[in-house]
Every structure is written in structure tokens, then in C-alpha cells.
Amino acid sequence: MWLSFFHSTYCNAAIFAGILFYLMGFCIHRFPPKSTKSWYGYRSVLSTKTPEMWRSANEYAAYISRRVGVVLLATGVACALIFSSQSDWFWYITVGAVVAGTMYLVGDTEWELTRHFDKDGKRILPE
């Protein structure tokens, strides 16, 4: 039984990563990390500059992670329904979606931090 599941198209990277991304975003949103010394949370050089940047980065990354998780789940299920076997293109699409989703999560979160904070970690006030 397990062997047939592992060889089915429903066993793909996009579905597993989609579930993981959604759960990660949900947990960080529901239980935000208290400090940069927490064992979980969105951690980068920019996000750990100040406590305000840490809070803001984790809040935004949790939101984006849930969105990416839903898109990955939809991609994985669509690929499972379209492809009849785990062909090369099946793996390119499902793994490529995971890589693109991860790059989007990191890139968009870092861009959001640079838009709202200066190089010293102080919030930029809108004019």
C-alpha cells in the first residue's frame, strides 16, 4: 500500500512543502517568536537587527508562508490530476514550484523590511 502511494502522482514535493509552509506560517502567526534567540522564526541578517524588525519580519513571513503554502498545495494537486505518472516534467514542475515559493518568501520578506526600515533598523514613517 505505501509503495503504491509513493509511486502515485499524489506523492509530490509541492503537496508536502505546501502543507509544511502553511503549517509553518500558521504556527508563527499563532505563536510568534518572542526574541531572536527563539528556536523558530524567520531569521536573516536584516530581520535580527532590532526587536521591531524581528517582529515585523516574522509577521510578514507568516502571512506570505500561508499564501505560498496554498499555491503549492494547488500546484501539487493540479499536477497530480494532470500527470499520469511521475515523469521528469512532473518533478521539474513540482520541485520548481517549491524552489520558486521559497525564493519568493525570502525575497519578498527582505524587500518588505527594506521598504519599511532604514539601514539602522528604524522604521521609516510614511509622508
Side-chain angles (χ1 to χ4, degrees):
M1 176 173 144
W2 284 105
L3 194 58
S4 64
F5 172 73
F6 288 133
H7 290 290
S8 78
T9 55
Y10 286 96
C11 180
N12 67 56
I15 290 177
F16 292 136
I19 293 168
L20 185 66
F21 271 63
Y22 190 84
L23 288 175
M24 178 179 66
F26 176 78
C27 289
I28 290 175
H29 174 71
R30 181 78 171 89
F31 309 104
K34 304 281 187 254
S35 73
T36 58
K37 299 203 187 294
S38 297
W39 63 274
Y40 68 97
Y42 178 81
R43 191 177 320 276
S44 70
V45 172
L46 201 55
S47 70
T48 56
K49 270 191 176 175
T50 65
E52 188 179 7
M53 286 180 85
W54 173 255
R55 185 196 52 74
S56 181
N58 279 284
E59 185 178 296
Y60 191 75
Y63 169 71
I64 295 298
S65 182
R66 291 188 311 252
R67 288 179 55 198
V68 167
V70 169
V71 170
L72 287 176
L73 273 170
T75 303
V77 169
C79 284
L81 294 173
I82 292 170
F83 288 92
S84 59
S85 67
Q86 294 179 351
S87 64
D88 287 344
W89 279 105
F90 170 81
W91 286 109
Y92 296 152
I93 293 170
T94 57
V95 173
V98 174
V99 171
T102 304
M103 290 171 59
Y104 176 73
L105 171 70
V106 172
D108 198 39
T109 303
E110 294 295 309
W111 182 69
E112 187 72 13
L113 287 175
T114 59
R115 280 186 23 180
H116 293 289
F117 294 92
D118 65 8
K119 63 182 173 101
D120 297 323
K122 294 186 175 147
R123 186 171 287 277
I124 300 171
L125 298 174
E127 295 180 18

Coordinates of all heavy atoms in Angstrom, one line a residue, residues 25-100:
G25 N 3.6 28.9 8.6 CA 3.0 30.2 8.6 C 1.9 30.3 9.7 O 1.9 31.3 10.4
F26 N 1.1 29.3 9.9 CA 0.1 29.3 10.9 C 0.7 29.3 12.3 O 0.2 30.1 13.1 CB -0.9 28.1 10.7 CG -1.9 28.0 11.8 CD1 -3.0 28.8 11.8 CD2 -1.7 27.1 12.9 CE1 -4.0 28.7 12.8 CE2 -2.7 27.0 13.9 CZ -3.8 27.9 13.8
C27 N 1.7 28.5 12.5 CA 2.3 28.4 13.8 C 3.0 29.7 14.2 O 2.9 30.2 15.3 CB 3.2 27.3 13.9 SG 2.4 25.7 14.0
I28 N 3.7 30.3 13.2 CA 4.4 31.6 13.5 C 3.4 32.7 13.7 O 3.6 33.6 14.6 CB 5.4 31.9 12.4 CG1 6.6 30.9 12.5 CG2 6.0 33.3 12.6 CD1 7.6 31.1 11.4
H29 N 2.3 32.7 13.0 CA 1.3 33.7 13.2 C 0.6 33.5 14.6 O 0.4 34.5 15.3 CB 0.2 33.6 12.1 CG -1.0 34.5 12.3 ND1 -0.9 35.9 12.2 CD2 -2.2 34.2 12.7 CE1 -2.1 36.4 12.4 NE2 -2.9 35.4 12.7
R30 N 0.3 32.3 14.9 CA -0.5 32.0 16.2 C 0.4 32.1 17.4 O 0.0 32.6 18.4 CB -1.0 30.6 16.1 CG -1.8 30.1 17.3 CD -3.2 30.7 17.3 NE -4.0 30.2 18.3 CZ -4.1 30.6 19.5 NH1 -3.4 31.7 19.9 NH2 -4.9 30.0 20.4
F31 N 1.7 31.7 17.3 CA 2.6 31.7 18.4 C 3.9 32.4 17.9 O 4.9 31.8 17.6 CB 3.0 30.3 18.8 CG 1.8 29.4 19.1 CD1 1.4 28.4 18.2 CD2 1.1 29.6 20.3 CE1 0.3 27.6 18.5 CE2 0.0 28.8 20.6 CZ -0.4 27.8 19.7
P32 N 3.9 33.7 17.8 CA 5.0 34.5 17.3 C 6.3 34.3 18.2 O 6.1 34.2 19.4 CB 4.6 35.9 17.3 CG 3.4 36.0 18.1 CD 2.8 34.6 18.2
P33 N 7.4 34.2 17.6 CA 8.7 34.0 18.4 C 8.9 35.3 19.2 O 8.7 36.4 18.7 CB 9.8 33.8 17.4 CG 9.2 34.2 16.1 CD 7.7 34.1 16.2
K34 N 9.2 35.1 20.5 CA 9.4 36.3 21.4 C 10.7 37.1 21.1 O 10.7 38.3 21.3 CB 9.4 35.8 22.9 CG 8.2 34.9 23.2 CD 7.0 35.8 23.5 CE 5.9 35.0 24.1 NZ 4.8 34.8 23.2
S35 N 11.7 36.4 20.8 CA 13.0 37.1 20.6 C 13.8 36.4 19.5 O 13.4 35.3 19.0 CB 13.8 37.1 21.9 OG 14.4 35.9 22.2
T36 N 14.9 37.0 19.1 CA 15.8 36.4 18.1 C 16.5 35.2 18.6 O 17.1 34.5 17.8 CB 16.8 37.5 17.7 OG1 17.6 37.9 18.8 CG2 16.2 38.7 17.0
K37 N 16.4 34.9 19.9 CA 17.0 33.7 20.5 C 16.1 32.5 20.4 O 16.4 31.4 20.8 CB 17.5 34.0 21.9 CG 18.5 35.1 22.0 CD 19.4 34.9 23.2 CE 20.3 36.1 23.4 NZ 21.3 36.2 22.4
S38 N 14.8 32.7 19.9 CA 13.9 31.6 19.8 C 14.4 30.6 18.8 O 15.2 30.9 17.9 CB 12.5 32.1 19.3 OG 12.0 33.0 20.2
W39 N 14.0 29.3 18.9 CA 14.5 28.3 18.1 C 13.8 28.3 16.7 O 14.2 27.6 15.8 CB 14.4 26.9 18.7 CG 13.0 26.5 19.0 CD1 12.3 26.8 20.2 CD2 12.1 25.7 18.2 NE1 11.0 26.2 20.1 CE2 10.9 25.6 18.9 CE3 12.2 25.2 17.0 CZ2 9.8 24.9 18.4 CZ3 11.1 24.5 16.5 CH2 10.0 24.3 17.2
Y40 N 12.7 29.1 16.6 CA 11.9 29.1 15.3 C 11.7 30.6 15.0 O 11.8 31.5 15.8 CB 10.6 28.4 15.4 CG 9.6 29.0 16.3 CD1 8.6 29.8 15.8 CD2 9.6 28.8 17.7 CE1 7.7 30.4 16.7 CE2 8.7 29.3 18.6 CZ 7.7 30.1 18.0 OH 6.8 30.7 18.9
G41 N 11.3 30.8 13.7 CA 11.0 32.1 13.2 C 11.8 32.4 12.0 O 12.7 31.7 11.6
Y42 N 11.4 33.5 11.3 CA 12.1 34.0 10.1 C 13.4 34.7 10.5 O 13.3 35.7 11.2 CB 11.2 34.9 9.3 CG 11.9 35.4 8.1 CD1 12.0 34.6 6.9 CD2 12.5 36.6 8.1 CE1 12.6 35.1 5.8 CE2 13.2 37.1 6.9 CZ 13.2 36.3 5.8 OH 13.9 36.7 4.7
R43 N 14.5 34.1 10.2 CA 15.8 34.6 10.7 C 16.7 34.9 9.5 O 17.0 34.1 8.7 CB 16.5 33.5 11.5 CG 17.7 34.0 12.3 CD 18.2 32.8 13.2 NE 17.2 32.0 13.8 CZ 16.6 32.3 15.0 NH1 16.9 33.4 15.6 NH2 15.7 31.5 15.5
S44 N 17.1 36.2 9.4 CA 18.1 36.7 8.5 C 18.9 37.8 9.1 O 18.6 38.2 10.2 CB 17.4 37.2 7.2 OG 16.7 38.4 7.4
V45 N 19.9 38.2 8.4 CA 20.7 39.3 8.9 C 19.9 40.6 9.1 O 19.9 41.2 10.2 CB 21.9 39.6 8.0 CG1 22.7 40.9 8.4 CG2 22.8 38.4 7.9
L46 N 19.0 40.9 8.2 CA 18.2 42.1 8.3 C 17.1 41.9 9.4 O 16.8 42.9 10.1 CB 17.5 42.3 6.9 CG 17.0 43.7 6.6 CD1 18.1 44.7 6.8 CD2 16.5 43.8 5.2
S47 N 16.5 40.8 9.5 CA 15.4 40.6 10.4 C 15.8 40.6 11.9 O 15.0 40.8 12.8 CB 14.6 39.3 10.1 OG 15.3 38.2 10.4
T48 N 17.1 40.3 12.1 CA 17.6 40.3 13.5 C 18.3 41.5 14.0 O 18.9 41.5 15.1 CB 18.6 39.1 13.7 OG1 19.6 39.2 12.7 CG2 17.9 37.8 13.5
K49 N 18.2 42.6 13.2 CA 18.8 43.9 13.6 C 18.2 44.5 14.9 O 18.9 44.9 15.8 CB 18.8 44.9 12.5 CG 19.9 44.8 11.6 CD 19.9 46.0 10.7 CE 21.2 46.0 9.8 NZ 21.2 47.0 8.8
T50 N 16.9 44.6 14.9 CA 16.2 45.2 16.1 C 15.0 44.3 16.4 O 14.5 43.5 15.6 CB 15.7 46.6 15.8 OG1 14.7 46.5 14.7 CG2 16.9 47.5 15.4
P51 N 14.5 44.4 17.6 CA 13.3 43.6 18.0 C 12.1 44.0 17.1 O 11.3 43.1 16.8 CB 13.1 44.0 19.5 CG 14.4 44.4 20.0 CD 15.1 45.0 18.8
E52 N 12.0 45.3 16.7 CA 10.8 45.7 15.9 C 10.9 45.0 14.5 O 9.9 44.6 13.9 CB 10.8 47.2 15.8 CG 9.5 47.7 15.1 CD 9.5 49.2 15.0 OE1 10.4 49.9 15.4 OE2 8.4 49.7 14.6
M53 N 12.1 45.0 14.0 CA 12.3 44.3 12.7 C 12.1 42.8 12.8 O 11.5 42.2 11.9 CB 13.7 44.6 12.1 CG 14.0 46.0 11.6 SD 15.6 46.2 11.0 CE 15.4 45.6 9.3
W54 N 12.5 42.2 13.9 CA 12.2 40.8 14.1 C 10.7 40.5 14.1 O 10.2 39.6 13.5 CB 12.9 40.4 15.4 CG 12.5 39.0 15.9 CD1 11.7 38.6 16.9 CD2 13.1 37.8 15.3 NE1 11.7 37.3 17.0 CE2 12.5 36.7 16.1 CE3 14.0 37.5 14.3 CZ2 12.8 35.4 15.8 CZ3 14.3 36.2 14.1 CH2 13.7 35.1 14.8
R55 N 10.0 41.3 14.9 CA 8.5 41.1 14.9 C 7.9 41.3 13.6 O 7.0 40.5 13.1 CB 7.9 42.1 16.0 CG 6.4 41.9 16.2 CD 5.8 43.1 16.9 NE 6.0 44.3 16.3 CZ 5.5 44.7 15.2 NH1 4.6 44.0 14.5 NH2 5.7 45.9 14.6
S56 N 8.3 42.4 12.9 CA 7.7 42.7 11.6 C 8.0 41.7 10.6 O 7.1 41.3 9.8 CB 8.2 44.1 11.2 OG 7.6 44.4 9.9
A57 N 9.2 41.2 10.6 CA 9.6 40.2 9.6 C 8.9 38.9 9.8 O 8.4 38.2 8.9 CB 11.1 39.9 9.7
N58 N 8.7 38.5 11.1 CA 8.0 37.2 11.3 C 6.5 37.3 11.0 O 5.9 36.4 10.6 CB 8.3 36.8 12.8 CG 9.6 36.1 12.9 OD1 9.7 34.9 12.5 ND2 10.6 36.8 13.4
E59 N 6.0 38.5 11.3 CA 4.5 38.7 11.0 C 4.3 38.6 9.5 O 3.4 37.9 9.0 CB 4.1 40.1 11.5 CG 2.7 40.4 11.4 CD 2.5 41.8 12.0 OE1 2.6 42.0 13.2 OE2 2.1 42.7 11.3
Y60 N 5.2 39.3 8.7 CA 5.0 39.3 7.3 C 5.4 37.9 6.7 O 4.6 37.4 5.8 CB 5.9 40.4 6.7 CG 5.6 40.6 5.2 CD1 4.5 41.3 4.8 CD2 6.4 40.1 4.2 CE1 4.2 41.5 3.5 CE2 6.2 40.3 2.9 CZ 5.0 41.0 2.5 OH 4.7 41.2 1.2
A61 N 6.4 37.3 7.1 CA 6.8 36.0 6.6 C 5.7 34.9 6.9 O 5.5 34.0 6.1 CB 8.1 35.5 7.2
A62 N 5.1 35.0 8.0 CA 4.0 34.1 8.4 C 2.8 34.2 7.4 O 2.3 33.3 6.9 CB 3.5 34.3 9.8
Y63 N 2.5 35.5 7.1 CA 1.4 35.8 6.1 C 1.8 35.2 4.7 O 1.0 34.5 4.1 CB 1.2 37.3 6.0 CG 0.3 37.7 4.9 CD1 -1.0 37.4 4.9 CD2 0.8 38.4 3.8 CE1 -1.9 37.9 3.9 CE2 0.0 38.9 2.8 CZ -1.3 38.6 2.8 OH -2.1 39.0 1.8
I64 N 3.0 35.5 4.2 CA 3.5 35.1 2.9 C 3.6 33.5 2.9 O 3.2 32.9 1.9 CB 4.8 35.7 2.5 CG1 4.6 37.2 2.4 CG2 5.4 35.1 1.3 CD1 3.6 37.6 1.3
S65 N 4.0 32.9 4.0 CA 4.2 31.5 4.0 C 2.9 30.8 3.9 O 2.8 29.8 3.2 CB 4.8 31.1 5.4 OG 5.0 29.7 5.4
R66 N 1.8 31.3 4.5 CA 0.5 30.7 4.3 C 0.0 30.8 2.9 O -0.5 29.9 2.3 CB -0.5 31.3 5.3 CG -0.2 31.0 6.7 CD -1.4 31.5 7.7 NE -1.7 32.9 7.4 CZ -1.4 33.8 8.2 NH1 -0.8 33.6 9.4 NH2 -1.8 35.1 8.0
R67 N 0.3 32.0 2.3 CA -0.1 32.2 0.9 C 0.6 31.2 -0.1 O 0.1 30.6 -1.0 CB 0.1 33.6 0.4 CG -0.9 34.6 1.1 CD -0.7 36.0 0.7 NE -0.6 36.2 -0.8 CZ -0.1 37.2 -1.4 NH1 0.4 38.2 -0.6 NH2 -0.1 37.3 -2.7
V68 N 1.9 31.1 0.1 CA 2.8 30.2 -0.7 C 2.3 28.8 -0.5 O 2.3 28.0 -1.4 CB 4.3 30.4 -0.3 CG1 5.1 29.3 -0.9 CG2 4.7 31.8 -0.8
G69 N 2.0 28.4 0.8 CA 1.5 27.1 1.1 C 0.3 26.7 0.3 O 0.2 25.6 -0.3
V70 N -0.7 27.6 0.2 CA -1.9 27.4 -0.6 C -1.6 27.2 -2.0 O -2.1 26.3 -2.7 CB -2.9 28.5 -0.3 CG1 -4.1 28.4 -1.3 CG2 -3.4 28.5 1.1
V71 N -0.8 28.1 -2.6 CA -0.4 28.0 -4.0 C 0.3 26.7 -4.3 O 0.1 26.0 -5.3 CB 0.5 29.2 -4.4 CG1 1.0 29.0 -5.8 CG2 -0.4 30.5 -4.4
L72 N 1.2 26.3 -3.4 CA 1.9 25.0 -3.6 C 1.0 23.8 -3.5 O 1.1 22.9 -4.3 CB 3.1 24.8 -2.6 CG 4.3 25.7 -2.8 CD1 5.3 25.5 -1.6 CD2 5.0 25.4 -4.1
L73 N 0.1 23.8 -2.6 CA -0.9 22.7 -2.5 C -1.7 22.7 -3.8 O -2.0 21.6 -4.3 CB -1.9 23.0 -1.3 CG -1.4 22.4 0.0 CD1 -2.3 22.9 1.2 CD2 -1.4 20.9 0.0
A74 N -2.2 23.8 -4.3 CA -3.0 23.8 -5.5 C -2.1 23.3 -6.7 O -2.6 22.5 -7.5 CB -3.5 25.2 -5.8
T75 N -0.9 23.7 -6.8 CA 0.0 23.2 -7.8 C 0.2 21.7 -7.7 O 0.2 21.0 -8.7 CB 1.4 24.0 -7.7 OG1 1.2 25.4 -7.8 CG2 2.3 23.5 -8.8
G76 N 0.5 21.2 -6.5 CA 0.7 19.8 -6.3 C -0.5 19.0 -6.7 O -0.4 17.9 -7.4
V77 N -1.7 19.4 -6.3 CA -2.9 18.7 -6.6 C -3.2 18.7 -8.1 O -3.6 17.7 -8.8 CB -4.1 19.2 -5.8 CG1 -5.4 18.6 -6.3 CG2 -3.9 18.9 -4.3
A78 N -3.0 19.9 -8.8 CA -3.2 20.0 -10.2 C -2.2 19.1 -11.0 O -2.6 18.4 -11.9 CB -3.0 21.5 -10.6
C79 N -1.0 19.1 -10.5 CA 0.0 18.2 -11.2 C -0.4 16.7 -11.0 O -0.2 15.9 -11.9 CB 1.4 18.4 -10.7 SG 2.1 19.9 -11.4
A80 N -0.9 16.4 -9.8 CA -1.3 15.0 -9.5 C -2.5 14.6 -10.4 O -2.6 13.5 -10.9 CB -1.7 14.9 -8.1
L81 N -3.4 15.5 -10.7 CA -4.5 15.2 -11.6 C -4.1 15.2 -13.1 O -4.7 14.5 -13.9 CB -5.6 16.2 -11.3 CG -6.3 16.2 -9.9 CD1 -7.2 17.3 -9.8 CD2 -6.9 14.9 -9.7
I82 N -3.2 16.1 -13.5 CA -2.9 16.2 -14.9 C -1.9 15.1 -15.3 O -2.1 14.5 -16.4 CB -2.2 17.6 -15.2 CG1 -3.2 18.7 -15.0 CG2 -1.6 17.6 -16.5 CD1 -2.7 20.1 -15.0
F83 N -0.9 14.8 -14.6 CA 0.1 13.8 -14.9 C -0.4 12.4 -14.5 O -1.0 12.2 -13.5 CB 1.4 14.1 -14.3 CG 2.2 15.2 -14.9 CD1 2.0 16.5 -14.3 CD2 3.0 15.1 -16.0 CE1 2.6 17.6 -14.9 CE2 3.6 16.2 -16.5 CZ 3.5 17.4 -16.0
S84 N -0.1 11.4 -15.4 CA -0.5 10.0 -15.1 C 0.6 9.3 -14.4 O 0.4 8.2 -13.8 CB -0.9 9.3 -16.4 OG 0.2 9.3 -17.3
S85 N 1.9 9.8 -14.4 CA 3.0 9.1 -13.8 C 4.0 10.2 -13.3 O 3.9 11.3 -13.8 CB 3.7 8.1 -14.7 OG 4.3 8.8 -15.7
Q86 N 4.9 9.8 -12.5 CA 6.0 10.7 -12.0 C 7.1 10.9 -13.1 O 8.2 10.3 -12.9 CB 6.5 10.3 -10.7 CG 5.6 10.3 -9.6 CD 6.2 9.8 -8.3 OE1 7.3 9.3 -8.2 NE2 5.4 9.9 -7.2
S87 N 6.8 11.6 -14.1 CA 7.7 11.8 -15.2 C 8.7 12.9 -14.8 O 8.6 13.5 -13.8 CB 7.0 12.2 -16.5 OG 6.3 13.4 -16.3
D88 N 9.7 13.1 -15.7 CA 10.7 14.2 -15.5 C 10.0 15.5 -15.4 O 10.3 16.3 -14.5 CB 11.7 14.2 -16.6 CG 12.7 13.1 -16.5 OD1 12.8 12.4 -15.4 OD2 13.4 12.8 -17.5
W89 N 9.1 15.9 -16.3 CA 8.4 17.2 -16.2 C 7.5 17.3 -15.0 O 7.4 18.4 -14.4 CB 7.5 17.4 -17.5 CG 8.4 17.8 -18.6 CD1 8.8 17.1 -19.7 CD2 9.0 19.1 -18.7 NE1 9.6 17.8 -20.5 CE2 9.7 19.1 -19.9 CE3 9.0 20.3 -18.0 CZ2 10.5 20.2 -20.4 CZ3 9.7 21.4 -18.4 CH2 10.4 21.3 -19.6
F90 N 7.0 16.2 -14.5 CA 6.2 16.3 -13.3 C 7.1 16.7 -12.1 O 6.7 17.6 -11.3 CB 5.7 14.9 -13.0 CG 5.0 14.7 -11.6 CD1 3.8 15.1 -11.4 CD2 5.8 14.1 -10.6 CE1 3.2 15.0 -10.1 CE2 5.2 14.0 -9.3 CZ 3.9 14.4 -9.1
W91 N 8.3 16.2 -12.0 CA 9.2 16.5 -11.0 C 9.8 18.0 -11.2 O 9.9 18.7 -10.2 CB 10.4 15.5 -10.9 CG 9.9 14.3 -10.2 CD1 9.8 13.1 -10.8 CD2 9.5 14.1 -8.9 NE1 9.3 12.2 -9.9 CE2 9.1 12.8 -8.7 CE3 9.4 15.0 -7.8 CZ2 8.7 12.3 -7.5 CZ3 9.0 14.5 -6.6 CH2 8.6 13.1 -6.4
Y92 N 10.0 18.4 -12.4 CA 10.5 19.7 -12.7 C 9.5 20.7 -12.2 O 9.8 21.8 -11.6 CB 10.8 19.9 -14.2 CG 11.9 19.1 -14.8 CD1 11.9 18.8 -16.1 CD2 13.0 18.7 -14.0 CE1 12.9 18.0 -16.7 CE2 14.0 17.9 -14.5 CZ 13.9 17.6 -15.9 OH 14.9 16.8 -16.4
I93 N 8.2 20.5 -12.5 CA 7.2 21.5 -12.1 C 7.0 21.5 -10.6 O 6.9 22.6 -10.0 CB 5.9 21.1 -12.9 CG1 6.1 21.4 -14.4 CG2 4.7 22.0 -12.3 CD1 4.9 20.9 -15.2
T94 N 6.9 20.3 -10.0 CA 6.5 20.3 -8.5 C 7.7 20.8 -7.7 O 7.5 21.6 -6.8 CB 6.1 18.9 -8.1 OG1 7.1 17.9 -8.4 CG2 4.8 18.5 -8.7
V95 N 8.9 20.4 -8.0 CA 10.1 20.8 -7.3 C 10.4 22.3 -7.6 O 10.8 23.1 -6.7 CB 11.3 19.9 -7.5 CG1 12.6 20.4 -6.9 CG2 11.0 18.5 -7.0
G96 N 10.2 22.6 -8.9 CA 10.4 24.0 -9.3 C 9.5 25.0 -8.6 O 9.9 26.1 -8.2
A97 N 8.3 24.6 -8.3 CA 7.3 25.4 -7.6 C 7.7 25.6 -6.2 O 7.6 26.7 -5.6 CB 5.9 24.8 -7.7
V98 N 8.3 24.6 -5.6 CA 8.8 24.7 -4.2 C 10.0 25.6 -4.1 O 10.0 26.5 -3.2 CB 9.2 23.3 -3.6 CG1 9.8 23.4 -2.2 CG2 8.0 22.4 -3.5
V99 N 10.9 25.5 -5.0 CA 12.1 26.4 -5.1 C 11.6 27.9 -5.3 O 12.1 28.8 -4.6 CB 13.1 26.0 -6.1 CG1 14.2 27.0 -6.3 CG2 13.7 24.6 -5.8
A100 N 10.7 28.1 -6.3 CA 10.2 29.4 -6.5 C 9.4 30.0 -5.3 O 9.6 31.2 -5.0 CB 9.3 29.4 -7.8

